[in-house]
Structure formats: C-alpha cells, structure tokens
Amino acid sequence: RARGDLGVDGDLELQPERDRHRHHEARQLGRRQRDQFFRRPTDDQQDRRRDAVPAADRGPDQHGRAQNHDQQQAELQFTGTLGERDRIDWTTGLFYFSSDSRAYNTTEFEGFAYSNSLQNFVANDLYGTDNKSVFLHVTYDFTERLGVSGGVRYTDETKEHTFDHFPAFPRRDLAFGDSRTDWKASVDFSLTDDVFLYAQAATGFTSESATPRIFTIGQLRSLAGEELVSFEIGSKLEFLDNRLRL
C-alpha cells in the first residue's frame, strides 16, 4: 500500500500525529461536504436561509405538508508517493453530488383575511442542485520534522428553484450557478514526537441561492453567495504515553 493511502480509521490511529493531520487534510479537500473551506451549504446554513424572511411574514398556518428528497453522491480518489525516499505524498480525485427535492403545503392566513394582505395558496416547490469537482492535494517533506502541503480544487455548481404558489402568484423558475477554483496551503513542524505545530490558509465559497420560504412575490429574490479566506494556527499535543491528546 502506498504511504499516501488513507487506509481505515483504525490504521490511522497507529500513525504519527503528523501523518494523521495530513491524511485529515486530504480527506477534507476531497470530501466537500465535510470541509470547512470547500463546501456546499450545510444544514445550519440552509436553516438560516429558510429564516431569512421578513418578520411580518413569519408564522402562517401551514397544512397538508409533504416533502420528498432524492440524492446521489460519488467520489473517486487516488493516492500515492513520488520522489527520493517518498518525500512527496499526493491525493487526487473527482467528486459528484446531485439532489432533487419537492416541498408541498397549503396555507391559511386567517389573521390577515380581513385586509386581504396575504392570500392563501397551495405551494408545490422544487429544488435541484448539481456539483462537480476535481481536486489535488500534495505534501512535501523537507526533513523528517518539517513539511509543507498544498491543495487546489475546481468546483462547478448549478442550482434550480421552482416556486409554484397557486393562486398567489404564477410559477416562477430561478436558476443560479458558479464555478471557481479554491486553494489551501499549510506548513507543519514536529517539535518533538509528542508536539506537532501547523499553520494554514485557505479560500472557499458558497454559491448564490434563494430562501425556500416564499409567501409573497416580493420575496422572490436571490441570496448573495459568500467567499472567504481563512487562516489557522494550531498545535496537536500528546501526553501520558499517547493517552491524552490536546
């Protein structure tokens, strides 16, 4: 097995802290849904977007709810070593994600009936997301204790939202998409066998989208995407014959 093989979690526990950290970096770069910097919107982010509704429109009675969700995900990953004394570890691969969702419900705005400010409707909304990515992560050991790591990821993502709220407003289709390249770089140093130090920087994004909680036609607008640059400095320490890890 190549030294860069991710192996199973039980194998990783037998490796030095430096190797565990690097394998974790490669996994993060490859598995977008678990990576802090290269990610699609998490459940928490989706919840915040669902709550991005004016306070006056919150709290309608909703009945007859039904939700359907179908999702496919696949990842192909290769790892290995290069160079004199296997100084270079590499991980590369492809990632694919696709999901389709349907949200159905009826509403009763009895509190607003006297003014006709909000109209009852039947919501039959559709949401679709497709993500295709390719990534590469490389580490190089200058010495047995000093090394650097770098990664790059290209992502192509599309989203489609269909809002059908009869008879409040006719069917509306919204489409979003973004493609970009992100990177991650780090340096690590094993001060001793039990003290591991590292610093890293990375970029990332979430693409443009829309809130799924639509009650008025004025809410049919996009939510801006997000971009970030993250910096991190840390250490991993082991004490008491590896029984305590900080």
Side-chain angles (χ1 to χ4, degrees), residues 38-111:
F38 309 105
R39 68 190 188 282
R40 70 174 188 272
T42 64
D43 292 339
D44 290 340
Q45 289 171 320
Q46 296 284 20
D47 290 341
R48 289 197 296 271
R49 290 179 175 179
R50 282 192 288 269
D51 291 337
V53 181
D57 291 345
R58 293 177 183 169
D61 293 330
Q62 299 186 31
H63 303 279
R65 296 183 182 183
Q67 291 185 333
N68 305 99
H69 180 75
D70 182 58
Q71 175 178 313
Q72 296 84 39
Q73 178 178 307
E75 181 180 351
L76 180 64
Q77 189 174 108
F78 301 94
T79 63
T81 60
L82 293 171
E84 182 182 0
R85 291 184 292 179
D86 292 338
R87 288 182 179 269
I88 301 175
D89 289 342
W90 58 268
T91 301
T92 188
L94 304 172
F95 178 83
Y96 172 77
F97 173 85
S98 178
S99 69
D100 293 288
S101 302
R102 173 179 177 261
Y104 173 91
N105 67 270
T106 62
T107 62
E108 294 182 6
F109 299 97
E110 299 300 335

